[in-house]
Amino acid sequence: MRPYRFGAVAGFAPDAQTWTDIARRSEELGFDTLLVPDTHRTFSPFAAAAVAATVTTTLKVGTYVLASPLRTPAAVAWETSTLRTLTGGRFELGLGAGRPDSEQDAARLGVPFGTPGERLARVAETIDLVEDVPILLAASGPAALRLAAGKADTVALAVPPHATEEQLAAKVDELYELAGDRFGELELAMNLAAVGDEVPAWLGPEREGVGLLRGSVTEMADTLRRRRDKLGISYVSVNAQFLTQFAPVIARLAGT
């Protein structure tokens, strides 16, 4: 059974001091990674990750996740190689075919968005060009899960925050069937949209789902233990808005 890893997902701050404070705070609270999204509303992920790495010592930095239409595979490989070297190996690359609003980002940048098949082909080409870097691939549909099963080191199960435990388990089962003997080599990850009693307004009125971790510290830790025991999910990331709320859970589970 894999030991837990914990990531904080943050993409924006009003100034450099606030951004570097987020990085330092993430490291102090026991998070393993600081992950930067790839949208027009957030920082450029490579630059933001580089700055976070300069003010920390053990914290790994990464992308969560790069939208494949926005950069050529060669450009991603170049940026990745640079950051991998300058962070002393602390950079991890997260890739995806692009969330729905990535089409708007592609239009702003003047690049073609492409069909789902074309976008996944670009992800595969990027993986083939990148060397000696852990690859996280966000996957939901059968084609993306198949690609992740064959080429990724970490598979981020892209399920909606309000998905049920049964839907999450079905996604793991699907990946298991696709990965075959390779399934045991994969690190399984999922992202939490909210932790504790506070739920962001953008999630709507619904207050249940696998992406909303509720209850006491003991109850939240027990939920994550069950998911690792039953489903193998050992890498858990959380919106950086909930750094403080999630820190006691990390303290319960770190090293186990």
Side-chain angles (χ1 to χ4, degrees):
M1 187 173 293
R2 288 179 179 270
Y4 285 105
R5 290 208 300 155
F6 300 103
V9 180
F12 188 74
D15 51 52
Q17 184 63 55
T18 305
W19 178 249
T20 55
D21 285 347
I22 291 171
R24 292 189 183 97
R25 185 67 173 152
S26 299
E27 185 172 69
E28 290 168 358
L29 292 175
F31 285 85
D32 298 286
T33 55
L34 179 62
L35 306 169
V36 187
D38 188 20
T39 78
H40 78 277
R41 300 180 303 276
T42 54
F43 287 142
S44 170
F46 287 114
V51 171
T54 63
V55 297
T56 55
T57 55
T58 61
L59 186 73
K60 293 184 178 181
V61 295
T63 55
Y64 194 82
V65 292
L66 289 186
S68 66
L70 306 186
R71 301 165 190 79
T72 65
V76 174
W78 180 26
E79 297 278 8
T80 298
S81 175
T82 299
L83 265 181
R84 189 73 174 163
T85 299
L86 296 183
T87 63
R90 287 192 286 138
F91 178 74
E92 298 184 359
L93 179 64
L95 298 169
R99 64 188 74 192
D101 59 0
S102 293
E103 187 167 7
Q104 299 174 7
D105 294 342
R108 287 185 177 87
L109 294 173
V111 296
F113 188 61
T115 66
E118 289 170 339
R119 299 198 303 274
L120 272 181
R122 179 167 281 204
V123 172
E125 183 182 351
T126 302
I127 293 173
D128 290 340
L129 287 178
V130 172
E131 298 180 355
D132 302 324
V133 176
I135 300 291
L136 176 149
L137 183 55
S140 179
L145 285 169
R146 185 174 297 107
L147 177 61
K151 289 182 175 288
D153 300 291
T154 299
V155 182
L157 301 163
V159 296
H162 297 307
T164 65
E165 294 284 348
E166 291 75 18
Q167 290 170 323
L168 178 62
K171 196 66 64 178
V172 174
D173 288 343
E174 188 177 357
L175 178 63
Y176 177 83
E177 293 297 328
L178 291 167
D181 292 342
R182 195 169 182 269
F183 184 79
E185 302 174 19
L186 300 174
E187 178 184 51
L188 303 189
M190 69 170 295
N191 185 58
L192 300 174
V195 174
D197 296 328
E198 180 185 355
V199 178
W202 64 267
L203 283 171
E206 178 62 47
R207 292 296 184 266
E208 299 297 330
V210 294
L212 286 70
L213 191 64
R214 312 295 296 279
S216 66
V217 170
T218 297
E219 290 168 334
M220 291 190 287
D222 286 346
T223 296
L224 297 185
R225 286 193 187 98
R226 286 195 301 271
R227 287 179 186 168
R228 187 180 66 171
D229 292 345
K230 294 177 62 176
L231 305 177
I233 298 170
S234 60
Y235 186 13
V236 182
S237 58
V238 61
N239 186 320
Q241 175 183 344
F242 300 97
L243 289 181
T244 301
Q245 294 91 325
F246 197 57
V249 180
I250 292 179
R252 292 283 183 96
L253 298 177
T256 66

